[in-house]
Amino acid sequence: MGFTPPTPARSPVPLLPPMSTPSCVTRFAPSPSGHLHVGGARTALFCWAYAKGKGGTFLLRIEDTDQKRSSDSASVGFLKDLAWLGIGWDEGPVLGTHGGGAHGPYFQSERLDIYNRYLAQLVEAGKAYYAFDTTAELDAKRQAAKLAGHAYRYDRSEMANLPKATVDAWLAEGHPAVIRCKTPDGPITIVDEVLGEATLPAGEVDDFVIRKADGFPTYHFAVVVDDELMRVTHVLRAQEHFNNTAKHMVLQDALGFRRPIYGHLPLITNPDASKMSKRDKDKVLRKTVIDRKLTAPPQDTITQARFDAWLADKNTQLELAEASLLATGLQVTLPEINVDDFRQSGYLPEVLCNFLALNGWSPGENVEKFDTEFLKQRFDLKRVVKTPAKFDRVKLLSFNCDAITGMPREEFVARARLHGQEFHADFMKKITGAQFEQLAGASHERSKTLDEMFRTNRFFIVADELLTWDRSKNVEKALLGAEPNGLSHLKAVLPVLEACTEWSAAAIEQAITPYAAQHAEGNLGKVAQPLRIAVSGGTVSPPIFDTLAILGKASALVRIRRCIATFGG
RNA sequence: GGCCCCAUCGUCUAGCCUGGUCUAGGACACCUCCCUUUCACGGAGGUAACAGGGGUUCAAAUCCCCUUGGGGUCACCA
């Protein structure tokens, strides 16, 4: 059989008039199995940047051909994630101003008749055939091959040569059947803009399934048909798809389709080089539960039965909502995996985009900080690295910190407020608008994330009479050290504060500073720290005068009195 | 295991294609000091890498080969 190794089409034959065909069309084609993973987000970002930088089209397609794994709500989830990141799509499912387009539907599950048309065409042309092997038979052969120590390859001798009459009869009798692609014999050379050229030896690609027994096309088939029909010119996807490219090329040749340009992006992994997956959350939870020797879930988290089942079987995974509930109960933080996790943790979308782009690509010239506009203009496949990147959350945090401290105060306050309203409704309810503004203002320069102030300043929203004090070393030292210790300073400044007629940070400072000068050798810390402990219960808070001002005079005084009483006055 | 790909500080990377300008640059982390009312921020320094071995060459991080190590993939999942 005269199969020539495919080469990229030099002059593609356009399906549509040239006028309406953009020079560059990229697509992001996730399967809707949950939220958008950061790795997926990086792929989407690069696809977007590449197309937009060339004035082309970026489209989104939902690959929901796996009936078991797909759900409508899941796809909506990462549409929102993408929109939050600022990665807009020109064509695809509609969300707000994004999406639409003339090449839909953009859900593969709605394109079955299209696939069937091409499938029939292939079978008719003898380029594909029905196969009636059962899963059990196939598994046995795979197993045998493994035992024998060689790679399993599908043997077409039986099914590919079945007489048409037999095939029709079996089909009519309702035997389960798949359709396999008759892969021509010969080596296949993949040309990749990132990885270069790679040739798979003959026999590496066997007769793979293109339609499943349930009537749905496999990923390989749907991708090839859709990329052609949606006139995709550049396929940018994760490196795990590299070997699949050969299958896609076989299909393109069989169907007479154009060949898009390929670029396979390096993977993003955990710092220990393991795959980043939501499994990592389960791992953290399991370790905590085992370390603490817990036999029951914390109150108000998950049921005992669910807990037992999860703990008994390492392969059981908690749902996202269950996991975060349990994490809250155990007071552990889960590793961020999905875009939404980073949003909840208070990362800025523009920072996440910036940092993600740096994993696998760099503009050179020692430039690290840039926005998506810059990325759009500068991104190119030549500078994409070939090696997998370990995702460094610490560096991301540093970038986030820089961005936050670098933004105008009003912007921080506004963005923190939005974050609070979404993720810390309880906090926002217990604090007035003015108080929040003051707190956010005071937290601005010490915030690494939008979330931090809500976690470290919970003392603001507890009732004065319910505040408790840490009994840590630092607290004891500050309050009960050698005389004159913190406690005596507290007793002494109390009347000073009571005498304050104006209760602003500046006014309080004016009252306290002279006291410190006189009674603490001008060492403000000797007075500030006990005050901080008294009103916050711990050793960390925004600057003390701000803290007192935000709390209000009444609250502050009650807390100080209670503290004195608690620590023995 | 077969096949494919890859290999620069702890990490992300620049440099490699078109050998000399590399006593290998930046960033994060780390260490030291300074600043400081806590926590942060900030400022000044510092430690730290061309996986190993052969070639080619006047000259190799840069080109070639081998070894080792890492990753991907081998589904009626995508």
Side-chain angles (χ1 to χ4, degrees):
Chain A
M1 184 179 312
F3 177 71
T4 20
T7 49
R10 293 233 164 68
S11 45
V13 185
L15 275 188
L16 298 162
M19 290 296 282
S20 69
T21 305
S23 57
C24 174
V25 179
T26 62
R27 60 22 172 221
F28 179 56
S31 59
S33 49
H35 280 282
L36 179 60
H37 185 274
V38 282
R42 203 272 319 261
T43 303
L45 180 64
F46 285 178
C47 287
W48 173 87
Y50 194 80
K52 295 283 101 189
K54 291 184 156 42
T57 300
F58 171 57
L59 72 85
L60 199 60
R61 182 175 70 223
I62 310 301
E63 312 230 316
D64 55 350
T65 54
D66 185 1
Q67 299 185 81
K68 287 184 232 63
R69 293 211 299 190
S70 294
S71 73
D72 287 350
S73 56
S75 57
V76 174
F78 66 79
L79 254 37
K80 283 184 184 159
D81 292 337
L82 238 30
W84 177 74
L85 283 169
I87 303 173
W89 55 101
D90 304 304
E91 288 185 31
V94 177
L95 180 83
T97 58
H98 305 303
H103 303 81
Y106 295 94
F107 285 81
Q108 289 185 330
S109 57
E110 295 169 15
R111 302 171 62 81
L112 258 33
D113 52 334
I114 299 174
Y115 305 129
N116 283 333
R117 237 166 44 219
Y118 285 102
L119 246 2
Q121 182 188 315
L122 282 189
V123 172
E124 219 155 286
K127 292 174 175 174
Y129 57 90
Y130 282 91
F132 298 87
D133 315 85
T134 66
T135 314
E137 287 165 1
L138 258 20
D139 283 348
K141 286 179 184 171
R142 264 191 280 268
Q143 197 60 29
K146 197 176 176 186
L147 248 42
H150 58 255
Y152 169 78
R153 292 285 113 90
Y154 183 78
D155 177 8
R156 76 162 65 127
S157 57
E158 234 178 302
M159 295 298 169
N161 303 316
L162 247 31
K164 187 169 187 310
T166 313
V167 172
D168 290 345
W170 285 2
L171 251 21
E173 284 166 32
H175 284 104
V178 300
I179 297 178
R180 283 180 186 268
C181 173
K182 196 181 276 178
T183 303
D185 193 27
I188 301 177
T189 298
I190 302 171
V191 181
D192 186 283
E193 294 299 305
V194 174
L195 264 12
E197 275 189 28
T199 301
L200 305 191
E204 263 306 299
V205 181
D206 64 5
D207 288 1
F208 54 97
V209 173
I210 54 181
R211 193 180 78 162
K212 301 180 265 185
D214 65 6
F216 277 67
T218 59
Y219 157 76
H220 305 298
F221 193 77
V223 159
V224 166
V225 170
D226 290 344
D227 283 346
E228 168 72 14
L229 263 30
M230 297 178 183
R231 80 271 186 244
V232 169
T233 59
H234 293 72
V235 173
L236 270 37
R237 41 147 70 144
Q239 256 173 40
E240 65 195 72
H241 288 296
F242 184 74
N243 288 276
N244 291 154
T245 308
K247 291 190 174 100
H248 301 170
M249 289 166 66
V250 167
L251 247 17
Q252 282 152 4
D253 291 343
L255 290 161
F257 288 169
R258 297 164 292 182
R259 176 108 63 238
I261 291 166
Y262 286 99
H264 287 90
L265 310 169
L267 261 27
I268 297 179
T269 70
N270 282 319
D272 67 357
S274 65
K275 222 173 174 178
M276 267 178 109
S277 79
K278 65 177 181 191
R279 245 202 158 77
D280 299 331
K281 299 187 182 198
D282 276 63
K283 272 190 210 154
V284 169
L285 292 170
R286 255 174 234 285
K287 188 176 179 333
T288 318
V289 166
I290 292 167
D291 284 355
R292 296 188 195 165
K293 299 192 170 71
L294 298 180
T295 53
Q299 285 249 301
D300 301 323
T301 54
I302 58 176
T303 65
Q304 181 74 46
R306 183 75 177 125
F307 182 83
D308 289 340
W310 169 72
L311 202 54
D313 178 14
K314 264 201 267 188
N315 294 318
T316 305
Q317 274 190 57
L318 292 175
E319 293 301 317
L320 244 37
E322 294 176 316
S324 59
L325 228 51
L326 189 55
T328 311
L330 294 170
Q331 302 205 316
V332 294
T333 41
L334 261 21
E336 297 94 350
I337 304 292
N338 299 320
V339 167
D340 194 57
D341 298 335
F342 289 95
R343 189 167 73 96
Q344 268 190 52
S345 291
Y347 289 91
L348 273 19
E350 65 271 29
V351 171
L352 193 53
C353 282
N354 182 179
F355 185 70
L356 243 20
L358 245 22
N359 278 255
W361 180 81
S362 82
E365 295 159 7
N366 292 341
V367 175
E368 273 202 316
K369 302 281 179 75
F370 49 79
D371 57 17
T372 48
E373 189 56 33
F374 175 92
L375 181 68
K376 202 170 92 179
Q377 281 162 20
R378 297 286 292 272
F379 181 76
D380 70 305
L381 262 13
K382 281 197 183 65
R383 293 191 68 89
V384 173
V385 298
K386 302 178 179 184
T387 51
K390 298 184 177 100
F391 193 78
D392 186 357
R393 289 189 182 78
V394 180
K395 185 163 179 174
L396 170 64
L397 189 62
S398 165
F399 272 41
N400 208 57
C401 178
D402 288 350
I404 282 181
T405 52
M407 71 173 67
R409 176 152 301 198
E410 318 81 69
E411 184 185 344
F412 174 74
V413 174
R415 292 177 79 163
R417 177 178 285 123
L418 285 175
H419 182 82
Q421 283 161 352
E422 180 148 17
F423 298 109
H424 300 281
D426 60 329
F427 195 107
M428 297 304 281
K429 262 184 225 143
K430 288 187 180 161
I431 196 168
T432 68
Q435 276 178 310
F436 177 78
E437 201 157 320
Q438 214 172 346
L439 174 58
S443 305
H444 179 205
E445 60 183 8
R446 72 201 67 248
S447 284
K448 295 189 172 185
T449 67
L450 293 179
D451 201 64
E452 207 174 327
M453 57 176 285
F454 297 98
R455 282 181 284 110
T456 57
N457 291 313
R458 304 225 40 109
F459 68 89
F460 277 114
I461 60 162
V462 303
D464 298 332
E465 55 281 0
L466 293 180
L467 184 72
T468 56
W469 285 269
D470 293 345
R471 285 290 182 159
S472 68
K473 238 186 203 158
N474 288 338
V475 167
E476 305 242 330
K477 201 174 126 197
L479 252 29
L480 306 171
E483 288 285 354
N485 61 21
L487 206 54
S488 24
H489 281 308
L490 279 183
K491 289 177 197 162
V493 277
L494 190 55
V496 176
L497 291 173
E498 281 167 338
C500 277
T501 47
E502 193 198 329
W503 196 260
S504 67
I508 299 167
E509 180 167 7
Q510 287 224 334
I512 299 286
T513 312
Y515 171 87
Q518 270 189 354
H519 305 282
E521 297 150 344
N523 190 342
L524 199 53
K526 291 271 188 228
V527 188
Q529 197 58 357
L531 276 171
R532 186 187 319 281
I533 292 167
V535 301
S536 78
T539 54
V540 179
S541 85
I544 188 60
F545 304 123
D546 289 310
T547 303
L548 291 170
I550 295 163
L551 222 34
K553 185 172 181 180
S555 255
L557 293 180
V558 170
R559 292 180 182 207
I560 294 168
R561 290 195 199 102
R562 280 195 59 223
C563 178
I564 293 172
T566 305
F567 283 84

